[in-house]
Structures are given as structure tokens and as C-alpha cells.
Amino acid sequence: FNVSTPSSPSLVSTTTTGSGPYSVAVSGSYAYVVNVNSNTLQIFNLTSPDTLSVNAQSTFNGLTNIQGSTLGYVSTIFNQSTATSAGAPASSSDGLLIELGTLDANRTTGNTFIGFADSTGTLAGAIVGGASAVSYNTTGADYSEYFVSNSTTLPTPGQLVSIDPNSTNSVVASNDTAPIGVVSTSPGFVGNGPLCKISDPTCQSDYNKTHVLVALTGQVPTQVTVANGNIAVGDPITASSTPGVGELATSPTNIIGYALESATSNGTIQVLLEPGYYNPTQSNINSNNTTLNALTVNNTLSAANINIGGLASITTLEVSGNASITGNLSVGGSLTVEGVITANAHLVTGNNSGTTIAVAQKAAGTSAICSVSGNDTAGQITLTTGTSAWNSGEQCSVEFSSSYANAPHPVITPANTTSSGAYSSGNVQPYVSANTTTMSINFTNADKSQQTFVWNYFNVQ
């Protein structure tokens, strides 16, 4: 615009060039250009006509659209007042106030105070309202802070990091050490950033040469390996022997968090950061189906609550220390204990896969009857002798439902008066013998015909 500089605001000209008509007024070193059709105002600094400026208080009714094409900030709000009064905004120098016509109590998350969009008009974040509240919405997924890293090569996004024991406030890529976080890929909040002058264009990039942005909480893409086993959703993740790479935690160790995705090959998965110490021997096991190919405990196993809603399959459970089970323990395979088992409950033997069978033998006499109630480990044997009983010998044999690896050591105790020998014919003196498949009741003295004997038995190999 070719304008003069009058001492007070005055209308200089009106033109219909372009999308006008425009009205132009000049005050001091500023030109005020109004587009009558769009009801918009542009203020130009006459010493730099391509720069929009505001020199004093102005009120704009309608849409204010500030555009520019420049390096750095396209617009600046600078309150030159230096007044400070804590807790009293009206007495302090403040920067920017955004005010909505909607009352606080009536606001919803649809009321946006500030939106952040790219050139396509896609919002990546916003400061939105709620009922008497304000929240910050972002597509970023974690809270991160900058840490110093003295490594020649900085840890990269997705790598686990630990505190560097050789330097203050520093981190290094985790290598079988306690991880504190994961290098962030897309943070929602960033702390401990640099203090930069507006005029210093390299401040942030220089800071990034010695600092790494570490996610401390949230959902974070994390590099993992399946060298220690495939990873399922919910599995604990610890640091592997490969610097910066996580793996499945299978024993007591420090972890970075829990998998939000499964992995059957090396790669990157989402992990919910929750640094802590994972101890499967002290944690509750809660699942619908749990399969343990092997569980080895070298010290003490204390299981206050093993809660399996479906199938629990343990091929081998080996405990070299003490095992204290306050509830029930069911093992489908073998159980090897090198220490002490303390059971604060009843010891109940389970049913065998087959049927334990009792058969009366010839020495018990004609029409003798022998039966068994129980299993290979424990139960009760009932013998009713027949006529023409022998003086001694095998009276009843019990066939085990499954063979022992070695001959067991059976123990029997009388369960009725007859079995104790307290009757007129004298002491029967029974004894028991066994091999890997059969347990036998034998008499050393004669018995009376058609007497009923009952014994409890217990077998230990």
C-alpha cells in the first residue's frame, strides 16, 4: 500500500482489488486493512509490510485468521507488563486468555479451547472442556522425561534403559539389569526438556545429542526377543542379555511391565510400563488354563493362592527347599521334594486311573470272600474266611491298579476285634507282603471258619 503516516487513525482509501472491497487506515507506523465482505482485519507494520502486528488493544468481531510463511513462530503474543501478583490474574501480566461463551458447568468434551492440526486439517491433539474442568487430549501414549546418556550411540526408540551406575542422572541400554523405562516413540507429555532462547535454533537438536527421551509410564512400543520363550498378552517383560531388548520373565527378576500384545518372533510389541520386581513363587496364579512344563524351586515355595479356573497341567514339579501349601495341591505328573513338605490341611489320596482288585486265596478256605475299598496307596481290606481254612498261608491278594517302580512297603492295622486276634481260637498273627503289582495278607496261625477280618492299609514306596 502506498500510504502516508497521519498523526491519528484516519481512513486512507477504499479499493475493490482482489476479494475486496478493502478499507485501509493508518496510525503511526501501522496500517489497518479491513475486508468488508469477510469482516476481517489485518494490521501491517509499515516498516516491514509483510509482517502482521498488533500494537495496542484491539477487539475483533468475527473470524480472525492469522497466516504466514516463515521459519519459526508465525505469531507472537508479548505482554510487556512486568506486574506480578500471585493468585490475582487481574493484577498480573498474563499472556493469553481463551474464553468460551458456554458456562463451566455446561461444557462437554466437545467444547475445544485449543486444537492442534496439520495442513490437512487432521487433529492430533486438543485442549478440551468438561463440566467445570479442562483436559488435554493427545494421540501420544506415554509420559516421558529426558535423561542424559553418555553412550557413544544413544539408545533408540523401543529399547529398555537402566540407570548408569557410572554417571549421575544418566541411563544406558539395559543388559540383564533393572530397567526403569523404554525410549519413547510417541510421548504425550515430555518433562526435563532444555531451556532454549527463542533466537537459538539449534538448542533442542544440541540437547538431543546427549539426552534420550525415556517413557516412564504408559503404553509404549518395546523391542523384544523370544529367546526366553514366546510372549503372551499379560506376560511380564524383563531385560534380556541383548542391550536394550526385552524378553519373557520366567523367574524372579526386575521387570519393565506387562505385554499388551503377543510375540512369537523377535520384534516390537506394545508394553504397559509398570517397573517392579516379579516373583512368580510369591504371586497368585489366576488363569483358565495353565501349563507348566517344569517348575523348579531351589529355596522355598509358599503358595497362598493358586487359583486355576480351568486346566492346570504340571509335567514335573521339583522342590529342593521347603514347600508350604495352605490350600490344595494337585499334581498330575511326578513330585520330587528334597526338603520338607508342610501341609496345614488333611492328606487325601486320590483315585488311581484303574481299579484296585482283591482276591481271596486258597488258604482262606472254601467260599472265602475278600474285598478292598480304596486305591493303591490307602484303603481298607475285608476278608471273610470260608470252610476248611488252612492253618497258615496267603489269605487275600490285592492287585494294584498300576504297577510301582519298586516294591512298596505296606502297613496294615486291625479295624475290628476279630482282626486283632481277640477271639477264642487265639492270635491269628497276620502279616503283609508286596511286590510291584500285588499286596498279600498272610496268616501264621489257624483261623476259625467264616470269621470276618478288616484291616486298614497304607502303601509307601
Side-chain angles (χ1 to χ4, degrees), residues 312-326:
S313 176
I314 302 176
T315 303
T316 302
L317 173 64
E318 182 176 349
V319 181
S320 58
N322 295 332
S324 178
I325 309 297
T326 58

Side-chain angles (χ1 to χ4, degrees), residues 230-244:
N230 291 340
I231 297 171
V233 173
D235 280 344
I237 303 300
T238 187
S240 71
S241 58
T242 303

Side-chain angles (χ1 to χ4, degrees), residues 222-237 245-249 258-271:
T222 304
Q223 297 180 28
V224 294
T225 175
V226 294
N228 204 34
N230 291 340
I231 297 171
V233 173
D235 280 344
I237 303 300
V245 179
E247 68 178 6
L248 174 67
Y258 298 90
L260 295 175
E261 297 178 306
S262 60
T264 56
S265 61
N266 299 346
T268 299
I269 62 171
Q270 289 287 112
V271 171

Side-chain angles (χ1 to χ4, degrees), residues 177-234:
T177 52
I180 64 165
V182 175
V183 179
S184 181
T185 301
S186 179
F189 298 88
V190 175
N192 199 35
L195 285 172
C196 296
K197 293 285 187 180
I198 297 176
S199 58
D200 185 354
T202 64
C203 174
Q204 182 68 58
S205 59
D206 290 341
Y207 194 75
N208 290 342
K209 293 177 182 178
T210 56
H211 291 73
V212 61
L213 192 56
V214 179
L216 302 177
T217 184
Q219 305 171 48
V220 185
T222 304
Q223 297 180 28
V224 294
T225 175
V226 294
N228 204 34
N230 291 340
I231 297 171
V233 173

